[in-house]
Amino acid sequence: MEKTVLIVDDSASLRQLVVLALKGSGFRVVEATDGVDGLAKLDGGRVHLIISDVNMPNMDGLTFLKEVKKRPDTRFTPVIMLTTESAADKKEEGRAAGAKAWVVKPFQPQQMLAAVNKLIQ
Amino acid sequence: MMKGSKEGTEVMQAKQASQAGSIKPANGQGRSMLLVVFAPVLLAVAGLWTLAGFNLASASLGGGVVVLAAVGSWWLHQRQLEQARVEAEAVAAAAPDGALEQLVGESLPIWSRHIDHSNRYVEDSVSGLMQQFSYLIDSLNQSVSASSETDGSDHVIGTINSSQVDLSNAVSALRQTQQSRQQMLEELRQLKTFTAELQDMAAEVVSIADHTNLLALNAGIESARAGEAGKGFSVVATEIRGLSLRSRETATQMTDKVLSIKKSIESTVDTAEVALSRSSEQLAETEQSIDHVITKSREVIGQLQQSSRNLRDDADGVRRVIEQLIVELQFQDRVSQILTQVSSNLRDLEKEISEARDADGHIRKLDFDADVWLAKMQASYTMLDQHRTHRGEESKETSKDSEIEFF
């Protein structure tokens, strides 16, 4: 069965890069431009994994993560934070909020694919 | 960029004009000061002229002139003071104390717009590049996949191997047929030898018939010599003689037939030998042609496979380069974050300045703690690069490997 990955990032080029990294391996990738858009595209828990930026307009990634973890249908959906943010306190905030991995940009598509495969199982 | 420069120039020109205006009141004040100095001098000249002892009429005229001069100079002085006051107010309006703050306050939103515009421009361009690169990678993948499928070298080689086996079987069947023909030819040659024997046997029969005839003739002579007693024997001798003649005739016919058969066999053998020889040559040529075709086919397939491998290798190489380019394009995200941060800081500063605007719209001198402001700015950074740049340090090259931490 085709797995669905939601990428939430305000940068169109970064979203395209994630799409490029995953679509060749049979993933269906849904794109959202910020946290608010991301919440609207959770599709009632039919998303198998979420990749989210941290610094975004309207709703930042950590707030989005906390919202995702509040919802019963997405509580157990693994979330990868993909960000330029390397500050330890932000990382700790992400971990405490329930993120499964913290990826600092720039990222290698193969490594992202490996991380997605590892977490989606 | 040109537009921004023009706008900036306009702002600067406006400010220069304002500064030029600020020089005017200084000149106006200078003229007032000259009049103030000039009036007492005029009075002193008039007084000296009177004291010099001119006549009354002249003295009265001189007094009038002095009064008029004094009134005139006072009036001029008052007029100049009024002008100076009006000009000073104009100057105060044009060049308040916070002139720099005003310039910065008006420039900040322009700078922010430039930064936002550049940011969007880079984002759109990089996004477009990313789409093009994605398309290229898809096309390369499809080409490689199609090349692998159409090349179908495994399938073609399988077909060639199968065809080679089929052709070898056909050639073997032809060779067996050839061997059968060879055996048949041998048997015909054997028949030829039998006909020779038959000819000898027929000649022997003729010889026996001649001897028998001669014996019968002698027996007839002897039976005649025996007279009446030999009459019966004479009949037998006559019959034997008749039989010997018939035997000879049959043997002669046999010899003719055997000769005819022998000729037919010889002709068949000759024809079969020619046909066998020709078919052997054809079989050898066919085998050679089949070997040649198979060898050529294998060579062509080998070249095709090599070309396909080269194409796939090249495509893989190009794909890897494009993928690396796409990874490198992530710089845009970092640049965007930095520019967004700078734009945000500019807007904060603009807000701070606009709050310092008084009821008349003039901006007073700002009084805030620059260190606190810079610390706040620094706290908003998300990347190490930003901190380094803030401190004026050289930015280090970013690692190409993803930094992934699993929780």
Side-chain angles (χ1 to χ4, degrees):
Chain A
M1 182 191 155
E2 191 179 50
K3 305 275 186 183
T4 302
V5 175
L6 173 66
I7 167 67
V8 187
D9 199 312
D10 55 324
S11 165
S13 55
L14 252 294
R15 293 198 304 272
Q16 283 172 348
L17 182 55
V18 171
V19 171
L20 191 69
L22 301 182
K23 75 172 180 184
S25 300
F27 290 103
R28 174 175 164 263
V29 185
V30 178
E31 297 180 46
T33 54
D34 55 44
V36 175
D37 193 24
L39 289 177
K41 288 177 178 169
L42 285 173
D43 197 19
R46 280 187 283 274
V47 170
H48 298 92
L49 184 138
I50 298 166
I51 300 170
S52 175
D53 189 13
V54 171
N55 299 303
M56 291 183 289
N58 298 328
M59 182 189 284
D60 68 80
L62 288 170
T63 309
F64 168 70
L65 170 65
K66 287 166 193 164
E67 282 295 320
V68 167
K69 292 298 166 186
K70 269 188 209 166
R71 298 185 178 197
D73 50 359
T74 55
R75 188 181 299 161
F76 300 109
T77 307
V79 180
I80 297 174
M81 303 308 290
L82 173 64
T83 175
T84 53
E85 187 87 57
S86 53
D89 56 337
K90 289 277 183 186
K91 205 182 283 186
E92 179 52 31
E93 194 181 342
R95 192 196 63 75
K100 285 288 179 190
W102 191 272
V103 181
V104 179
K105 298 173 188 173
F107 69 94
Q108 293 286 343
Q110 296 85 350
Q111 286 175 297
M112 175 58 79
L113 179 63
V116 168
N117 276 323
K118 180 179 175 179
L119 292 175
I120 216 161
Q121 288 166 358
Chain B
M1 201 67 185
M2 289 301 288
K3 189 181 171 193
S5 174
K6 193 178 168 192
E7 283 176 9
T9 309
E10 284 168 359
V11 170
M12 291 306 292
Q13 283 172 345
K15 293 299 157 191
Q16 283 168 355
S18 166
Q19 284 170 354
S22 70
I23 296 167
K24 282 182 186 171
N27 291 342
Q29 280 176 341
R31 282 198 298 275
S32 300
M33 289 300 289
L34 281 171
L35 281 168
V36 169
V37 171
F38 178 70
V41 170
L42 196 65
L43 284 169
V45 169
L48 286 170
W49 189 51
T50 306
L51 288 171
F54 293 99
N55 59 33
L56 186 61
S58 300
S60 300
L61 186 59
V65 169
V66 167
V67 168
L68 275 173
V71 169
S73 74
W74 177 82
W75 179 79
L76 278 172
H77 177 62
Q78 287 300 316
R79 194 160 170 269
Q80 293 300 326
L81 282 177
E82 179 60 21
Q83 276 184 348
R85 191 184 62 77
V86 170
E87 285 174 0
E89 279 181 2
V91 168
D97 288 343
L100 179 62
E101 284 81 353
Q102 183 144 7
L103 170 64
V104 174
E106 288 176 18
S107 300
L108 281 172
I110 297 169
W111 292 336
S112 293
R113 287 199 297 274
H114 284 317
I115 290 171
D116 291 346
H117 173 75
S118 304
N119 208 1
R120 278 197 302 275
Y121 184 74
V122 173
E123 166 78 29
D124 291 348
S125 302
V126 170
S127 180
L129 276 174
M130 198 76 91
Q131 278 184 337
Q132 296 291 332
F133 284 143
S134 299
Y135 171 74
L136 278 177
I137 287 182
D138 283 347
S139 300
L140 280 171
N141 284 341
Q142 283 175 3
S143 298
V144 168
S145 172
S147 163
S148 302
E149 283 169 11
T150 52
D151 156 14
S153 46
D154 291 343
H155 173 68
V156 174
I157 285 176
T159 307
I160 285 181
N161 286 338
S162 164
S163 302
Q164 192 176 20
V165 169
D166 291 345
L167 289 169
S168 297
N169 289 338
V171 169
S172 295
L174 284 173
R175 199 174 283 123
Q176 281 178 355
T177 309
Q178 194 80 348
Q179 283 173 351
S180 299
R181 284 180 183 169
Q182 190 73 41
Q183 281 178 354
M184 196 173 71
L185 190 62
E186 290 300 321
E187 284 170 8
L188 282 172
R189 285 196 186 109
Q190 194 70 35
L191 275 178
K192 202 173 150 188
T193 58
F194 290 157
T195 55
E197 286 175 19
L198 280 173
Q199 269 186 312
D200 292 345
M201 286 165 74
E204 186 66 24
V205 169
V206 169
S207 174
I208 290 167
D210 285 345
H211 274 94
T212 306
N213 187 32
L214 192 60
L215 282 173
L217 190 61
N218 287 331
I221 293 167
E222 290 300 323
S223 64
R225 202 177 284 166
E228 196 62 30
K231 266 191 178 175
F233 192 70
S234 172
V235 172
V236 172
T238 303
E239 283 299 319
I240 287 173
R241 197 178 164 203
L243 284 174
S244 73
L245 288 172
R246 282 176 59 195
S247 294
R248 192 179 195 286
E249 190 181 338
T250 302
T252 305
Q253 285 176 350
M254 254 179 71
T255 302
D256 291 344
K257 287 289 177 194
V258 167
L259 194 62
S260 172
I261 288 168
K262 186 187 171 192
K263 280 182 182 169
S264 293
I265 287 173
E266 279 175 350
S267 169
T268 304
V269 166
D270 288 346
T271 307
E273 278 178 342
V274 170
L276 192 64
S277 170
R278 194 175 296 158
S279 68
S280 293
E281 286 171 9
Q282 284 173 342
L283 190 60
E285 284 172 8
T286 304
E287 276 185 300
Q288 206 174 350
S289 297
I290 288 169
D291 283 347
H292 182 69
V293 168
I294 296 288
T295 308
K296 276 283 168 199
S297 300
R298 286 190 191 282
E299 278 177 17
V300 170
I301 293 296
Q303 288 168 356
L304 195 64
Q305 279 179 315
Q306 188 58 44
S307 298
S308 289
R309 272 195 296 275
N310 291 344
L311 183 68
R312 279 197 291 274
D313 290 348
D314 290 348
D316 277 343
V318 172
R319 188 175 52 194
R320 275 196 297 277
V321 169
I322 293 175
E323 280 174 353
Q324 195 52 42
L325 277 173
I326 289 173
V327 171
E328 298 285 346
L329 283 177
Q330 289 180 74
F331 84 89
Q332 182 273 326
D333 190 54
R334 299 175 76 83
V335 170
S336 173
Q337 296 246 5
I338 293 168
L339 291 180
T340 304
Q341 203 80 51
V342 171
S343 183
S344 167
N345 289 332
L346 289 176
R347 286 206 169 83
D348 287 348
L349 190 57
E350 180 197 344
K351 192 178 166 199
E352 189 102 18
I353 290 174
S354 65
E355 281 172 2
R357 196 181 291 273
D358 61 22
D360 295 334
H362 302 142
I363 296 170
R364 65 176 187 278
K365 267 188 182 290
L366 287 173
D367 181 23
F368 70 102
D369 192 335
D371 290 337
V372 171
W373 178 267
L374 289 173
K376 189 179 137 198
M377 202 161 80
Q378 202 169 5
S380 67
Y381 298 153
T382 60
M383 291 179 282
L384 289 174
D385 271 359
Q386 288 174 297
H387 289 281
R388 288 197 192 98
T389 308
H390 184 99
R391 293 192 296 266
E393 296 170 5
E394 286 286 319
S395 63
K396 292 180 181 172
E397 194 175 342
T398 314
S399 168
K400 294 281 187 286
D401 284 331
S402 313
E403 191 185 313
I404 300 180
E405 187 176 339
F406 290 99
F407 300 134

